[in-house]
């Protein structure tokens, strides 16, 4: 110490320096900056980190998959199943990554949803699913509106064996629920349709396998739907998907060589009253998977992970606009996409709204497909085995599921059509039904889904039964019944769309099952969102109201071939109500 300090100052400074050195000795080294996320889940974790760093609060589901990725929890799921225990909310969410949904309180059991690319199964697989459903489920299966199959009433202790027996059949359920890319749909008559522009099956399979082999494509901000439409006679409803690849024919004079391409539509989510919109982008046929991958990676980075009601792709598009989003996709791809004005694109070949039912000639000479009506998608195991046998005996062995909740047997020779029809009838199955039944679609309803306000399947069949003998419609009509706002039955695109509601019936507040009724929806070249016609229709009153509505259509349509959609578009709601009231 310098002699310039007094003894008291020297003692003070010595003590200060000693304390400072002790503090430094006790202090931990500076913590290293957090390591950047790595591994296949890194993009999701990075997106979550950006939200929390900005002060945002992650949705519970985001926390659950961050705490334990569902694919890392399979051994724990198996152990949980041994005791017959059903999951708490966090594991109920995780097990959906494996295709299992705990559907209490409506059923104290699991439902399993499969992945069937383009909806095509071999007869032996269909047979096998029947065996699995009988052994581990309720003895039946449902055809879904994503051309898929579901098995219900699965006990907890049987769930792992069911999943693994499906894998043995070459069928997986991985990623068919929760925040993942759902079953990929394609044209139901792919490869056999006389008017199709291309066969969607190889494209759907390529995308299906791309998803299965890249864990990064799981754990999105919300669910995601992708569909391929090949321009065939049966609509694929690609406009209701987040990504719709539409086969189109580009004419001479465009900035790309003439030929068949994909036209890209994005942002469909019919339950939120929006359909996929054309981007103007034309894609080479072999480029669909890279482009879909790039779209999803942009969505992974920028989708909302805080508000589940606003986390679908539509809301990124609403916030950014299409040009900004396409620029981000191009940056992800590392190249520009081709834009072609619609004037250079031929119109899509017209759909046949009844081609999913009955006998229709294939492009293969002397061959036919037979559309079989499954009552709102439900098939018993015996019916499934009968269908598999008929497909093997009279067809090419394929069974094709459709987004209309029915199925198609393909490759039936002209000489075998009558025998196939007779075999179907013997099994209690029908391939010729009324236009009302042919266009009837219903979700699971409150018999199997806790969100549904009404028994959609039961009420749909009552509507069809009521209409039998009352009116023989000579034009197609689609009646869609959905139980809740999730709109699994896509009520907004039906000619008549009903969404479940509880209807108050007296001053005491007593309620019964019912619906809000919409009209004027459409799809394919007539795509449109229906408008509300009447709220709070009691379920017991719905059949008679629909009868009057359809009779008013037949009595007042502009011509014999005017569609129901066109009829309702010509009249305002007040006029439609007046016409209904005037109908006997």
């Amino acid at each position: 110490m310098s002699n310039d300090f007094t003894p008291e100052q020297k003692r003070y400074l010595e003590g200060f320096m000693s304390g400072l050195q002790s503090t430094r000795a006790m202090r931990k080294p500076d913590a290293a900056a957090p390591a950047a996320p790595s591994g296949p889940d890194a993009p999701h974790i990075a997106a979550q980190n950006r939200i929390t760093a900005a002060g945002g609060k992650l949705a519970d589901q985001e926390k659950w998959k961050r705490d334990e990725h569902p694919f890392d929890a399979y051994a724990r799921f198996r152990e949980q199943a041994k005791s017959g225990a059903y999951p708490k909310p966090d594991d109920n969410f995780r097990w959906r990554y494996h295709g299992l949904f705990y559907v209490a309180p409506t059923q104290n059991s699991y439902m399993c949803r499969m992945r069937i690319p383009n909806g095509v199964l071999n007869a032996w697989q269909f047979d096998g699913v029947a065996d699995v459903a009988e052994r581990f489920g309720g003895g039946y299966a449902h055809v879904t509106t994503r051309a898929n199959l579901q098995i219900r009433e699965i006990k907890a202790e049987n769930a792992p064996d069911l999943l693994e027996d499906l894998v043995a059949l070459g069928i997986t359920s991985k990623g068919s629920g929760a925040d993942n890319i759902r079953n990929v749909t394609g044209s139901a008559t792919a490869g056999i349709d006389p008017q199709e522009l291309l066969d969607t099956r190889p494209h759907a399979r390529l995308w299906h396998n791309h998803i299965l082999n890249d864990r990064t494509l799981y754990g999105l901000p919300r669910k995601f739907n992708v569909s391929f439409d090949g321009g065939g006679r049966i609509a694929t409803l690609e406009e209701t998907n987040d990504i719709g690849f539409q086969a189109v024919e580009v004419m001479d004079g465009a900035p790309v060589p003439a030929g068949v391409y994909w036209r890209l539509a994005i942002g469909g989510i019919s339950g939120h009253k929006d359909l996929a919109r054309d981007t103007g982008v034309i894609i080479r046929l072999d480029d669909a998977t890279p482009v879909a991958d790039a779209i999803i990676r942009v969505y992974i980075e920028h989708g909302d992970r805080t508000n589940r009601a606003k986390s679908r792709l539509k809301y990124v598009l609403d916030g950014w606009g299409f040009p900004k989003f396409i620029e981000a996709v191009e940056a992800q791809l590392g190249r520009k996409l081709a834009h072609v004005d619609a004037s250079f694109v031929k119109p899509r070949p017209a759909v046949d709204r009844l081609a999913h039912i009955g006998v229709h000639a294939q492009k293969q000479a002397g061959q036919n497909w037979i559309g079989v009506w499954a009552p709102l998608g439900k098939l018993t195991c015996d019916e499934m085995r009968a269908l598999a046998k008929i497909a093997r005996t009279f067809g090419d062995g394929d069974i094709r599921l459709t987004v209309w909740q029915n199925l198609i047997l393909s490759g039936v020779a002209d000489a075998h059509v009558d025998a196939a029809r007779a075999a179907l009838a013997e099994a209690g199955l029908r391939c010729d039904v009324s236009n009302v039944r042919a266009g009837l679609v219903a979700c699971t309803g409150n018999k199997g889904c806790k969100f549904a306000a009404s028994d959609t399947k039961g009420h749909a069949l009552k509507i069809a039964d009521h209409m039998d003998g009352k009116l023989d419609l000579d034009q197609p009509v689609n009646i869609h019944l959905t139980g809740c706002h999730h709109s699994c039955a896509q009520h907004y695109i039906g000619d008549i769309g009903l969404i479940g509601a509880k209807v108050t019936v007296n001053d005491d507040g007593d309620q019964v099952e019912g619906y809000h009724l919409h009209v004027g929806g459409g799809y394919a070249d007539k795509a449109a969102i229906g408008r509300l016609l009447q709220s709070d229709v009691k379920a017991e009153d719905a059949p008679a109201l629909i009868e009057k509505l359809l009779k008013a259509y037949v009595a007042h349509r502009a011509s014999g071939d005017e569609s129901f959609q066109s009829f309702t578009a010509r009249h305002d709601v007040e006029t439609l109500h007046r016409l209904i009231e005037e109908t006997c």
Side-chain angles (χ1 to χ4, degrees):
M1 291 289 183
S2 169
N3 291 328
D4 294 334
F5 293 100
T6 66
E8 290 79 12
Q9 289 173 326
K10 289 179 181 179
R11 283 194 297 274
Y12 173 82
L13 289 171
E14 286 171 350
F16 176 81
M17 295 301 293
S18 175
L20 183 63
Q21 290 169 351
S22 297
T23 301
R24 284 176 175 170
M26 294 172 63
R27 186 182 294 158
K28 292 181 180 179
D30 290 343
S38 61
D41 306 322
H44 305 279
I45 295 170
Q48 293 169 339
N49 288 346
R50 283 191 296 274
I51 290 168
T52 55
K57 183 179 179 182
L58 295 174
D60 286 342
Q61 291 84 349
E62 294 294 321
K63 297 174 185 175
W64 294 337
K65 55 194 177 188
R66 187 182 178 99
D67 290 343
E68 182 182 28
H69 193 286
F71 290 162
D72 296 334
Y74 188 77
R76 190 167 63 77
F77 155 68
R78 260 197 153 282
E79 197 62 31
Q80 186 183 96
K82 287 180 182 178
S83 66
Y86 289 104
K88 294 179 179 178
D90 56 345
D91 279 342
N92 186 19
F93 175 77
R94 291 188 182 100
W95 301 163
R96 293 180 183 200
Y97 275 59
H98 302 282
L100 286 172
F101 297 67
Y102 179 44
V103 293
T106 54
Q107 293 175 330
N108 189 37
S109 58
Y110 283 116
M111 177 270 285
C112 177
R113 179 184 297 151
M114 296 162 228
R115 297 187 75 95
I116 302 170
N118 212 117
V120 182
L121 289 167
N122 298 121
W124 63 269
Q125 289 177 305
F126 204 66
D127 237 342
V129 172
D131 291 344
V132 170
E134 189 169 71
R135 197 158 58 247
F136 300 124
Y140 60 92
H142 283 140
V143 183
T144 77
T145 53
R146 290 205 67 77
N148 205 351
L149 286 174
Q150 292 181 169
I151 296 173
R152 305 187 75 89
E153 299 183 46
I154 304 161
K155 293 181 180 178
E157 56 268 32
N158 291 334
D161 290 337
L162 177 138
L163 293 183
E164 291 165 18
D165 277 16
L166 289 175
V167 171
L169 292 170
I171 300 171
T172 183
S173 58
K174 181 178 284 189
S176 62
D179 297 348
N180 300 304
I181 307 165
R182 304 301 178 83
N183 188 52
V184 54
T185 57
S187 295
T189 50
I192 62 174
D193 198 314
Q195 75 169 35
E196 70 182 0
L197 297 175
L198 58 82
D199 183 345
T200 60
R201 289 175 296 179
H203 303 280
R205 280 197 300 266
L206 182 63
W207 176 239
H208 168 80
N209 285 296
H210 182 78
I211 298 165
L212 292 181
N213 291 291
D214 191 338
R215 175 160 153 168
T216 304
L217 299 178
Y218 294 84
L220 312 181
R222 272 305 288 275
K223 72 175 183 178
F224 204 96
N225 293 325
V226 179
S227 181
F228 295 84
D229 177 71
R233 289 175 58 194
I234 299 176
T236 312
L237 302 183
E238 76 284 352
E239 65 273 0
T240 66
N241 288 250
D242 296 277
I243 300 176
F245 290 108
Q246 301 167 320
V248 295
E249 187 174 354
V250 174
M251 298 180 286
D252 290 328
V256 298
V260 175
Y261 293 82
W262 296 117
R263 194 160 181 87
L264 177 66
I266 55 176
I269 174 171
S270 60
H272 293 222
K273 300 184 180 181
D274 212 350
L275 300 174
R277 284 164 276 170
D278 181 23
T279 62
V281 170
I282 290 290
I283 300 167
R284 296 193 318 269
L285 297 183
D286 61 356
D287 220 12
T289 287
V291 170
D293 181 277
I295 290 170
I296 287 170
R297 291 180 193 278
V298 173
Y299 172 58
I300 286 170
E301 185 174 358
H302 298 286
D304 191 331
R305 295 176 184 262
T306 65
N307 180 358
R308 301 284 287 181
K310 300 288 185 181
S311 54
R312 293 289 296 273
L313 176 64
K314 163 190 162 56
Y315 295 102
V316 178
L317 295 167
D318 286 352
W320 284 17
F322 275 50
K324 179 180 176 180
F325 186 83
I326 294 299
E327 286 177 7
V329 172
E330 290 172 332
Q332 177 69 41
L333 277 171
R335 55 187 167 83
K336 292 289 187 181
L337 294 167
H339 291 254
V340 174
D341 188 84
S343 62
F344 292 105
V345 178
K346 290 185 178 181
R348 184 204 187 278
V351 299
D352 178 348
R353 294 178 60 184
L354 295 174
H356 62 287
I357 292 292
V359 180
H360 303 270
Q362 297 181 187
K363 65 173 157 184
Q364 294 82 10
Q367 302 290 309
N368 305 271
W369 77 74
I370 302 179
V372 182
W373 186 67
L376 301 167
K378 187 173 182 179
L379 294 166
T380 68
C381 293
D382 285 343
E383 288 171 336
M384 293 173 72
R385 294 189 185 100
L387 284 162
K389 183 178 180 180
I390 294 166
R392 284 192 300 265
T393 304
F394 303 111
D396 58 17
D398 279 351
I399 292 174
R400 298 160 177 257
L401 310 175
T402 83
V403 297
W404 303 106
Q405 293 184 306
N406 71 321
L407 50 88
I408 287 171
L409 306 179
S410 52
V412 180
D414 290 343
H416 294 154
V417 167
D418 288 343
R421 289 165 64 106
L424 288 168
E426 186 177 350
L429 297 162
R430 302 163 66 179
C431 60
D432 296 307
V433 295
S434 70
N435 286 359
V436 168
R437 289 186 191 274
L440 202 58
V441 177
C443 70
T444 300
N446 62 12
K447 299 298 185 189
C449 176
K450 67 180 180 180
F451 298 111
S454 297
D455 176 16
T456 52
K457 287 190 184 295
H459 297 150
L461 289 175
K462 286 181 179 178
I463 290 169
D465 290 343
H466 178 86
M467 291 301 301
D468 285 346
K470 298 282 198 318
L471 179 66
D472 187 15
L473 277 179
D474 55 2
Q475 292 293 322
V477 64
N478 285 84
I479 303 174
H480 295 227
L481 292 85
T482 199
C484 73
H485 65 281
H486 291 116
S487 192
C488 293
Q490 301 171 324
H491 68 289
Y492 282 120
I493 67 165
D495 287 302
I496 300 172
L498 300 100
I499 180 169
K502 294 298 184 183
V503 179
T504 302
V505 293
N506 56 36
D507 293 339
D508 294 330
D510 294 330
Q511 294 183 317
V512 297
E513 294 179 15
Y515 297 90
H516 304 319
L517 187 148
H518 299 73
V519 295
Y523 52 89
D525 60 325
K526 305 296 184 185
I529 296 293
R531 57 193 164 121
L532 181 66
L533 178 65
Q534 186 167 330
S535 298
D536 298 329
V537 178
K538 291 189 291 185
E540 65 183 37
D541 295 338
L545 175 59
I546 290 171
E547 177 195 351
K548 285 188 173 185
L549 178 57
L550 291 175
K551 283 184 174 179
Y553 154 61
V554 171
H556 298 282
R557 57 188 172 180
S559 64
D561 60 357
E562 182 181 30
S563 70
F564 182 87
Q565 183 191 42
S566 177
F567 165 75
T568 56
R570 287 195 298 108
H571 298 95
D572 58 29
V573 169
E574 291 74 18
T575 303
L576 288 172
H577 277 295
R578 178 176 58 79
L579 294 176
I580 291 169
E581 289 303 315
E582 292 173 355
T583 300
C584 296

